[in-house]
Amino acid sequence: PTYQAPVFRDSLALVASQVDTLLSQPRILYHQDAGNVAFVGDQVSGFFDLDMCRVGTLSMQLGSLFLLFYWCPLRWRDFLHGFQDAIARRLDPSEIAAGLAFAHFMIWRSITRFAEWDGQFASAEEADQEAQTALNFAASLGYYNAIVKEGGL
């Protein structure tokens, strides 16, 4: 029951609705580990520790960077404008929606422990701990949705 709340069902529905968009985009090399980003003030100045680079899509890169909003003072609109400046074009709403879905997918990757967790608990204490973790994940999903909605999607 821990992950049966509407926020989790809605998240999975969002991810499922964007799979075709994500897979239809041109392939790029993207950096999956948002923690390995350098800043000068509130500006992203570079990426490092490139062992987490993957073949993916522009929306996957965008979705992988959502974690930055917890770690730096960037606001979605400022980030989006800077991202669009860096790629020299505006993102269309389908790319942003796919990026949001990939940000959700990255949370599910954590929930499932990189697809290693079968959803079973060894004890009531473990179930209680997971319930608290689920609240944190639910808050992250809600936060990601809110910042994109704030930006007009």
Side-chain angles (χ1 to χ4, degrees), residues 119-145:
Q120 301 299 312
F121 302 109
S123 66
E125 181 180 340
E126 184 182 352
D128 289 344
Q129 290 172 345
E130 191 65 28
Q132 182 57 49
T133 300
L135 291 174
N136 294 335
F137 284 133
S140 296
L141 294 168
Y143 180 71
Y144 290 171
N145 293 342

Side-chain angles (χ1 to χ4, degrees), residues 31 33-48 68 72:
H31 197 295
D33 191 354
N36 290 322
V37 177
F39 291 91
V40 173
D42 64 354
Q43 300 285 317
V44 174
S45 62
F47 295 95
F48 56 93
L68 293 176
C72 69

Side-chain angles (χ1 to χ4, degrees), residues 11 20 22-23 34 38 40 48 52 57 65 69 71 84 94 98 102 105 118 122-123 135 139-142 150:
S11 174
D20 289 341
L22 282 164
L23 296 179
V40 173
F48 56 93
M52 291 297 289
T57 68
L65 296 173
F69 296 105
W71 297 341
Q84 292 174 144
S94 69
F102 195 72
F105 174 81
D118 65 2
S123 66
L135 291 174
S140 296
L141 294 168
E150 165 198 315

Side-chain angles (χ1 to χ4, degrees), residues 20-81:
D20 289 341
T21 301
L22 282 164
L23 296 179
S24 69
Q25 294 176 347
R27 299 302 185 258
I28 64 167
L29 183 64
Y30 82 103
H31 197 295
Q32 191 177 67
D33 191 354
N36 290 322
V37 177
F39 291 91
V40 173
D42 64 354
Q43 300 285 317
V44 174
S45 62
F47 295 95
F48 56 93
D49 196 14
L50 300 178
D51 65 317
M52 291 297 289
C53 285
R54 305 279 188 258
V55 174
T57 68
L58 184 74
S59 291
M60 289 177 179
Q61 180 64 80
L62 180 63
S64 294
L65 296 173
F66 270 64
L67 189 57
L68 293 176
F69 296 105
Y70 283 125
W71 297 341
C72 69
L74 287 177
R75 296 195 38 84
W76 170 250
R77 284 190 185 132
D78 296 334
F79 171 80
L80 185 59
H81 289 163

